[in-house]
Amino acid sequence: MKKIIAGTLGNCVHVAGIMNYLNLADQEKYYTDFIGIGKSVDEIINLINEKKPDIVALSYRLTPEPLYQILEELKEKIIENNIKDIIWLFGGTEPTSLVAKEYEIFHKVFDGSEDIDEVIAYLKGQDLSKEESYPKDLINRIKSKYPYPILRHHLGLPTIEETIKSIEKVSESKVIDIISIAPDQNAQEFFFDQENMDERLNGAGGVPLRSKEDFKEVYNAAQRGNFPLLRSYSGTKNIIPFAELLKESIDNAWCAVPLFWYSELDGRGPRKLIDALKENQEVMKWHGERNIPVEVNDPHHWSLRDAHDSIAVAVAYIAAYNAKKMGVKDYIAQYMFNVPASISPEMDLGKMLAKIELVESLVDDDFNVYRQARAGLASFPTNLYQAKGQLAASAYLAMGIKPHIYHVVGFCEAHHAAKAEDIIESAMIVRGILKNEFLGSVDMTKDKNVLERKNTLIKEAKVIIDTIESLNLSVEDPLIDPATLTEAVRVGILDAPHLQGSKIAKGTLKTRMVSGALYAYDEKQGKIINEEERIDIILKEAISKQ
């Protein structure tokens, strides 16, 4: 354990910066010792001889002119006392930092413009000015920064040229660690049979990537700045060939695949639900065999269709369970806040904590879980000033779950597709939140109402999970059996109001927002119904039809 002593020079009494640095060093397992304010050079030399530190961190934030004499004396005393094998650090304002650099005493000079992740990287022994300091895979990228989350943003403009220029700008800004490429709908569905594309829809929903070379161009655009990792949406059919394409062209950082969706359930592909379940499991397995992380993004898909909170929590567990059973070793659990947009912050946080407890109950030596948080798109207003406020508010709430990845949603998305400037500004807003977070924040996860909601949702989600397991006792593991999961949708155990009229889902579920949380609701009786009641009604109806 390396020892750091730290204090301020001369008559400087500004200690906030040095104390923040020591707090970060504590988290990185350094032994830290604050030696006080306004230390003279002789006092610093005596303390070095007494305490035998590995690192001496000094701060000076007053007018720069007196600093010349102080550092001249420090340099002379270091030589005079034959002080060696110590790493010297300086923190100050931009003017005082320029003075500090002149004396060539300090191994690193911080002028206050650095983001927290740069400081953490330095404490971890990394120099972010060098290309090799940026890990080329997701898990090591996370480990290089945690507890500071790595940041992700999606990018897909209507032309390849616009997209490439934006990727170059974002990469050079060094504010985003992962760029999620958004292929247009044509590419996701018809990449391997492009004769079926409707060319009028080119660029709808993303960038019109039409060849492996297009993907490689996108990859090459990111090889600058902080060398962000790339990832892409999965295809909606031919999904194994599409996974191979992504791995070979952009070295896909992780796979995002649904379990139930991109099928007849949502109309984003032609597959029957049972076939989609089988193929999506195969995609999980394919990535698991290659040690590529996997995200199964079903929980928020159900919430986006107004399924009540208990279903979202149950599906979070089922999705992670399927990934584990398919051999995935590193699982990315995405927690989308603000879905639906009218959910209250305390009820939202309770829902996320319930998901986390169930999902992370699956963790063992062969299954790791990494938390990814984001804001829900529908929560962003078209007024761009208010949208910036929403981005900041949602990010601050999400920091309560200590995410490994924060998926930055561009504040402009309700108004227009994010360009490079929008992405950079959105990332800087979130970085401002993170900077404050590291000063220490209120732990909202201990709030009484939050915990009460978490515990209720865990109980209700287990009712759903247990019921699905009981649907087919003839199979070894019903929760990964495509026929059983299809039946759970068909009879309405898993359902959503937006699925009304579906050919495969029951589509009769009614939900209502009450006191900031979304519940199953009996409109005839005008009351909330709990999961035991709801499931009991469903099972009785199913039996009566047999």
Side-chain angles (χ1 to χ4, degrees):
M1 183 182 288
K2 289 186 177 180
K3 176 190 265 190
I4 301 175
I5 65 170
T8 68
L9 280 166
N11 60 343
C12 180
V13 297
H14 298 287
V15 298
I18 204 83
M19 296 307 294
N20 289 340
Y21 181 79
L22 291 179
N23 287 336
L24 291 173
D26 278 334
Q27 292 180 39
E28 294 302 320
K29 309 305 180 187
Y30 285 80
Y31 176 81
T32 62
D33 186 355
F34 178 61
I35 58 175
I37 61 174
K39 293 298 179 184
S40 68
V41 169
D42 283 337
E43 286 178 305
I44 289 167
I45 297 299
N46 290 336
L47 286 165
I48 289 171
N49 289 330
E50 174 191 337
K51 295 178 178 289
K52 310 294 186 204
D54 301 291
I55 301 167
V56 177
L58 301 173
S59 175
Y60 184 88
R61 299 183 61 81
L62 301 177
T63 52
E65 287 74 19
L67 187 58
Y68 286 98
Q69 186 174 343
I70 295 171
L71 294 185
E72 186 70 42
E73 182 186 356
L74 178 61
K75 191 168 186 176
E76 289 175 1
K77 292 290 176 69
I78 289 171
I79 295 169
E80 183 182 315
N81 287 270
N82 195 31
I83 294 175
K84 297 179 180 179
D85 301 322
I86 282 180
I87 294 173
W88 293 84
L89 305 178
F90 180 87
T93 61
E94 185 176 354
T96 61
S97 295
L98 291 173
V99 174
K101 288 176 182 178
E102 290 184 30
Y103 285 86
E104 298 182 343
I105 297 170
F106 301 100
H107 294 75
K108 181 73 174 178
V109 174
F110 297 100
D111 64 9
S113 65
E114 301 82 12
D115 224 326
I116 291 172
D117 58 341
E118 294 179 62
V119 180
I120 292 174
Y122 184 81
L123 288 165
K124 291 178 182 288
Q126 301 161 340
D127 184 350
L128 294 187
S129 65
K130 298 178 181 178
E131 175 184 345
E132 58 268 23
S133 292
Y134 297 103
K136 301 298 185 183
D137 66 279
L138 177 66
I139 305 307
N140 282 313
R141 193 90 166 201
I142 289 170
K143 290 178 179 178
S144 74
K145 288 193 173 186
Y146 200 72
Y148 193 99
I150 59 175
L151 301 186
R152 162 196 170 191
H153 200 293
H154 83 275
L155 203 166
L157 298 172
T159 69
I160 292 174
E161 293 74 21
E162 288 178 278
T163 300
I164 285 173
K165 287 179 182 178
S166 286
I167 291 172
E168 290 173 346
K169 287 181 182 178
V170 171
S171 301
E172 287 165 357
S173 75
K174 299 185 177 183
V175 297
I176 292 292
D177 296 280
I178 302 140
I179 297 175
S180 290
I181 304 302
D184 65 358
Q185 290 293 115
N186 264 339
Q188 289 184 69
E189 186 169 356
F190 299 115
F191 187 87
F192 296 99
D193 49 351
Q194 296 187 23
E195 67 278 4
N196 294 325
M197 286 184 180
D198 183 343
E199 294 187 2
R200 295 172 299 177
L201 302 179
N202 284 348
V207 54
L209 299 162
R210 299 294 183 261
S211 67
K212 189 174 185 178
E213 288 66 36
D214 288 345
F215 279 95
K216 286 183 176 179
E217 280 191 56
V218 165
Y219 176 82
N220 291 334
Q223 303 314 300
R224 65 197 74 232
N226 66 339
F227 297 81
L229 307 180
L230 294 181
R231 62 169 298 281
S232 171
Y233 301 164
S234 295
T236 58
K237 68 176 184 178
N238 301 308
I239 51 180
I240 293 291
F242 204 81
E244 292 171 342
L245 167 74
L246 296 178
K247 176 59 182 171
E248 293 168 4
S249 61
I250 65 170
D251 193 19
N252 202 26
W254 78 87
C255 163
V257 63
L259 181 60
F260 293 89
W261 305 92
Y262 295 2
S263 66
E264 62 179 329
L265 193 58
D266 58 350
R268 289 186 65 182
R271 300 179 296 171
K272 295 292 184 183
L273 176 57
I274 193 167
D275 295 329
L277 285 159
K278 292 174 182 177
E279 290 180 4
N280 291 336
Q281 288 173 334
E282 282 299 313
V283 171
M284 296 176 208
K285 184 178 180 181
W286 187 92
H287 287 88
E289 290 171 347
R290 291 157 179 80
N291 292 322
I292 301 172
V294 169
E295 167 193 335
V296 184
N297 47 32
D298 278 62
H300 60 261
H301 275 291
W302 289 94
S303 290
L304 287 167
R305 291 161 178 86
D306 279 352
H308 55 296
D309 297 340
S310 301
I311 283 181
V313 174
V315 173
Y317 176 83
I318 293 168
Y321 185 85
N322 271 262
K324 179 175 182 175
K325 291 297 182 177
M326 295 304 126
V328 171
K329 299 171 185 65
D330 295 307
Y331 183 69
I332 312 302
Q334 179 161 206
Y335 299 102
M336 185 184 288
F337 285 75
N338 319 118
V339 181
S342 54
I343 192 170
S344 75
E346 64 178 1
M347 296 296 100
D348 207 3
L349 187 56
K351 181 168 76 170
M352 298 310 166
L353 294 177
K355 290 181 181 181
I356 288 168
E357 186 163 318
L358 288 180
V359 168
E360 295 187 7
S361 71
L362 297 168
V363 170
D364 58 26
D365 291 342
D366 299 315
F367 189 69
N368 305 303
V369 174
Y370 299 90
R371 303 174 188 176
Q372 176 182 207
R374 61 163 291 179
L377 187 58
S379 70
F380 286 85
T382 56
N383 182 295
L384 296 181
Y385 296 108
Q386 292 179 9
K388 291 176 186 180
Q390 168 58 17
L391 173 59
S394 184
Y396 186 76
L397 178 65
M399 289 308 113
I401 69 168
K402 309 299 181 191
H404 300 85
I405 306 167
Y406 189 75
H407 178 175
V408 180
V409 178
F411 67 85
C412 62
E413 289 289 347
H415 186 272
H416 62 268
K419 297 182 179 180
E421 295 76 16
D422 302 312
I423 293 170
I424 292 166
E425 184 175 358
S426 297
M428 292 306 292
I429 289 170
V430 172
R431 283 174 174 265
I433 297 299
L434 294 173
K435 195 169 185 178
N436 279 283
E437 176 72 12
F438 273 84
L439 298 176
S441 59
V442 176
D443 189 350
M444 293 178 284
T445 65
K446 294 180 180 177
D447 178 84
K448 182 184 72 171
N449 293 336
V450 169
L451 291 173
E452 184 178 333
R453 183 61 177 155
K454 180 198 79 168
N455 293 332
T456 297
L457 286 172
I458 289 172
K459 179 182 177 181
E460 296 223 325
K462 286 181 177 178
V463 172
I464 296 171
I465 294 163
D466 291 345
T467 302
I468 294 173
E469 287 182 316
S470 70
L471 286 178
N472 191 349
L473 299 177
S474 65
V475 296
E476 183 178 345
D477 196 340
L479 288 184
I480 63 170
D481 177 54
T484 304
L485 295 174
T486 299
E487 181 68 3
V489 173
R490 190 189 67 80
V491 301
I493 296 168
L494 299 178
D495 201 3
H498 294 194
L499 297 177
Q500 184 176 355
S502 168
K503 293 179 181 178
I504 185 64
K506 191 172 184 184
T508 59
L509 176 66
K510 304 297 181 184
T511 60
R512 181 169 293 191
M513 188 69 67
V514 180
S515 300
L518 194 61
Y519 296 90
Y521 198 79
D522 186 324
E523 292 185 333
K524 291 181 179 179
Q525 298 187 57
K527 68 168 190 172
I528 294 168
I529 54 174
N530 63 39
E531 283 309 284
E532 289 183 348
E533 291 178 275
R534 187 180 76 87
I535 297 297
D536 186 56
I537 293 168
I538 288 169
L539 294 180
K540 285 179 178 177
E541 286 179 357
I543 292 170
S544 69
K545 291 179 181 179
Q546 290 178 352

